[in-house]
Amino acid sequence: MKAALILILISLAMPLGAKDPTANDVTVAIAAITDSAICNIAAFLNSPPLDLPGSTLHFRANESLPNLLTFQNSDIGTYLAVFMRTRQPNPSFFTSLLNSARGPLNDIAIQYLTVHQWEVGHAVLKGAMVTQWGEGANLSGLMADVVTSGKIPAITVVTDVTVQGRRVSTPVRVEGTFMLHSDEEGYFAVKPLALKINGEEKGV
């Protein structure tokens, strides 16, 4: 009986003693989550689609765009190698055009992964994102928009993802809503609409 009581007291005390994430932890976690969303969209639009380790796209019946993305110990540091395999060594101009058509967002994904210098073990994701593509959106229309304009229409993702790894001092759970879109100057941008970190509401 005494041992059981001690275990109960320890379990109640653990959340109180949990370490709060630092501002840097939050920044890293949000970057990992939004980068992974961008990379998974790019991987999906590649022809043929790319498989990113630990991430899975889910579809509703008779829909060509995924409505859910799940992560199971998905290490963002493993993504870059997948995208780099789509690049041909010393491509000609026409090969370059072909590669762009096959993966219209691959270069954007590579840019985010390299600028943020993700390495294996830096950020490992577990959880899910719900993707909202807009009413009536489908794969052929999305591909046509991206290939012809070089931009993507606004995509909303609702996240409940926990990030852990060497670049955060404690696991960070991010519950939020983000809009992925091309801004007025044509650059890819991420806009937070709502945000909760480890259960605490944050201003955006």
Side-chain angles (χ1 to χ4, degrees):
M1 183 68 179
K2 181 183 285 188
L5 181 59
I6 291 173
L7 288 174
I8 292 172
L9 291 174
I10 290 174
S11 66
L12 290 174
M14 284 178 65
L16 298 176
K19 183 179 178 182
D20 291 332
T22 65
N24 182 69
D25 291 337
V26 173
T27 299
V28 169
I30 291 175
I33 289 170
T34 55
D35 284 8
S36 66
I38 293 165
C39 288
N40 273 277
I41 292 170
F44 168 66
L45 293 180
N46 193 82
S47 180
L50 304 174
D51 292 323
L52 298 182
S55 63
T56 305
L57 293 171
H58 305 264
F59 298 79
R60 294 191 183 98
N62 301 318
E63 291 190 3
S64 57
L65 295 174
N67 70 302
L68 182 67
L69 168 62
T70 57
F71 300 99
Q72 183 61 44
N73 296 325
S74 185
D75 190 329
I76 196 170
T78 63
Y79 293 2
L80 183 59
V82 176
F83 284 104
M84 294 305 292
R85 285 197 292 270
T86 68
R87 285 187 164 179
Q88 300 292 332
N90 301 316
S92 67
F93 173 74
F94 294 105
T95 303
S96 179
L97 286 179
L98 178 61
N99 288 341
S100 295
R102 292 181 61 179
L105 295 182
N106 285 4
D107 285 345
I108 291 176
I110 291 170
Q111 179 181 352
Y112 272 81
L113 293 171
T114 53
V115 166
H116 291 158
Q117 299 181 327
W118 295 115
E119 297 178 4
V120 174
H122 275 180
V124 180
L125 286 68
K126 186 175 183 179
M129 296 182 187
V130 174
T131 52
Q132 301 171 354
W133 302 87
E135 187 175 356
N138 57 53
L139 177 58
S140 59
L142 180 64
M143 282 291 288
D145 286 344
V146 172
V147 171
T148 57
S149 70
K151 301 179 181 179
I152 66 165
I155 301 168
T156 302
V157 294
V158 181
T159 71
D160 185 356
V161 178
T162 298
V163 177
Q164 56 187 354
R166 298 200 313 271
R167 281 178 69 169
V168 291
S169 64
T170 190
V172 182
R173 182 183 180 187
V174 178
E175 299 168 86
T177 303
F178 301 88
M179 183 172 69
L180 312 180
H181 65 110
S182 296
D183 63 19
E184 294 180 357
E185 297 179 351
Y187 294 105
F188 200 82
V190 178
K191 180 180 180 180
L193 304 177
L195 188 62
K196 186 185 291 186
I197 302 295
N198 285 11
E200 182 179 344
E201 296 279 354
K202 300 290 184 180
V204 295

